[in-house]
Amino acid sequence: MSVAVRVIPCLDVDAGRVVKGVNFENLRDAGDPVELAAKYDLDGADELTFLDVTASSGNRETTFDVVRRTAEQVFIPLTVGGGVRSADDVDRLLRAGADKVSVNTAAIARPELISDIAHRFGSQVLVLSVDARRVTGETVTDSGYEVTTHGGKRGTGMDVVEWARRATELGAGEILLNSMDADGTLEGFDLEMLGSVREVVSVPLIASGGASSPADFVAAARAGADAVLAASVFHFGKLTITQVKHAMAEAGVDVR
């Protein structure tokens, strides 16, 4: 039995406002997160992902407040990430109304954080967010892709495929695979990277970065994505969730 592919709008939030740029730069305002979340819920989104893109300590209380207000408005699963450094951070976000929590940088620095969270709350709560790019210059990895931090600006030298495999062994319940090369470019998902990760993990895989047309979402599903995530095309009205789901269904992809 095939599992229906989920369509997930992503809200990148900075100081309580949704923002979007290209390759995480030149951010522009895209609206109020609570209003956008309510709209996407009505439009048929299967889930929402909410990323605090600055995640500085000063913004943490803003984030909890926005998560609370968003959770009150929507009736679909809400994943929250950005600045999550401990199992206690996860606990606070779940209490604020998150259904799942995404970890990224802190897990790279301390992989045991993944098992800490999985043991305490269950793997189904934990989404590993991976900001990946093609290797350049002196860096070499087996897959040709490396894990990055700081919005794609800093390479870690870690192989993306190996990191995804290891993280799922440690207890990550889902992988959010974001192509930093494609992010905000509207040039389509990185299907090669998606396929490489799909080969080594059995947990749900979320494709992110570069969606422009309904055909891009279809291609990602065919490359092995269990969910497709996008921001710009939804925020600025280029596509609706209904359009994307219709195109996927027409192409024979099982959608909700």
Side-chain angles (χ1 to χ4, degrees):
M1 189 185 107
S2 68
V3 176
V5 175
R6 292 167 284 148
V7 178
I8 307 175
C10 182
L11 306 178
D12 293 319
V13 178
D14 180 5
R17 296 290 292 178
V18 177
V19 294
K20 194 60 203 166
V22 177
N23 305 126
F24 281 71
E25 290 176 354
N26 303 318
L27 299 179
R28 57 179 171 145
D29 189 279
D32 175 74
V34 182
E35 286 174 18
L36 277 172
K39 172 182 165 307
Y40 291 139
D41 191 8
L42 283 173
D43 284 353
D46 297 304
E47 293 186 15
L48 276 173
T49 292
F50 178 113
L51 298 176
D52 179 353
V53 292
T54 42
S56 64
S57 52
N59 274 343
R60 296 312 285 165
E61 288 313 314
T62 307
T63 301
F64 288 119
D65 176 54
V66 175
V67 170
R68 270 185 215 101
R69 289 189 294 123
T70 304
E72 284 165 10
Q73 288 290 326
V74 303
F75 303 96
I76 50 178
L78 178 62
T79 298
V80 182
V84 175
R85 296 180 181 90
S86 68
D88 287 342
D89 288 342
V90 173
D91 187 53
R92 285 191 70 192
L93 285 168
L94 294 175
R95 288 174 191 275
D99 297 286
K100 296 189 260 190
V101 174
S102 151
V103 296
N104 186 338
T105 309
I108 293 168
R110 199 169 65 83
E112 61 270 23
L113 175 63
I114 296 171
S115 35
D116 288 352
I117 295 168
H119 285 143
R120 186 159 158 191
F121 305 103
S123 288
Q124 77 285 349
V125 159
L126 181 57
V127 180
L128 180 80
S129 181
V130 182
D131 290 337
R133 69 177 180 204
R134 287 179 188 271
V135 293
T136 53
E138 302 290 302
T139 312
V140 178
T141 64
D142 287 347
S143 69
Y145 293 93
E146 76 169 319
V147 178
T148 69
T149 61
H150 299 79
K153 292 182 181 67
R154 264 185 224 179
T156 61
M158 292 165 60
D159 184 282
V160 168
V161 175
E162 176 54 30
W163 175 229
R165 187 193 58 74
R166 185 175 173 213
T168 55
E169 286 175 357
L170 288 168
E174 256 181 294
I175 303 281
L176 168 53
L177 186 63
N178 188 31
S179 166
M180 303 311 292
D181 301 316
D183 179 76
T185 64
L186 305 178
E187 289 171 3
F189 294 104
D190 189 327
L191 303 178
E192 185 188 334
M193 179 169 71
L194 200 59
S196 299
V197 173
R198 175 78 286 165
E199 284 178 10
V200 301
V201 303
S202 56
V203 300
L205 182 58
I206 306 165
S208 166
S212 172
S213 69
D216 292 334
F217 292 91
V218 172
R222 287 181 173 156
D226 300 281
V228 284
L229 177 144
S232 308
V233 288
F234 295 141
H235 300 340
F236 301 120
K238 183 173 181 185
L239 293 175
T240 65
I241 289 154
T242 307
Q243 278 177 301
V244 168
K245 287 192 165 186
H246 180 73
M248 289 167 77
E250 287 277 288
V253 175
D254 189 11
V255 290
R256 294 187 180 185

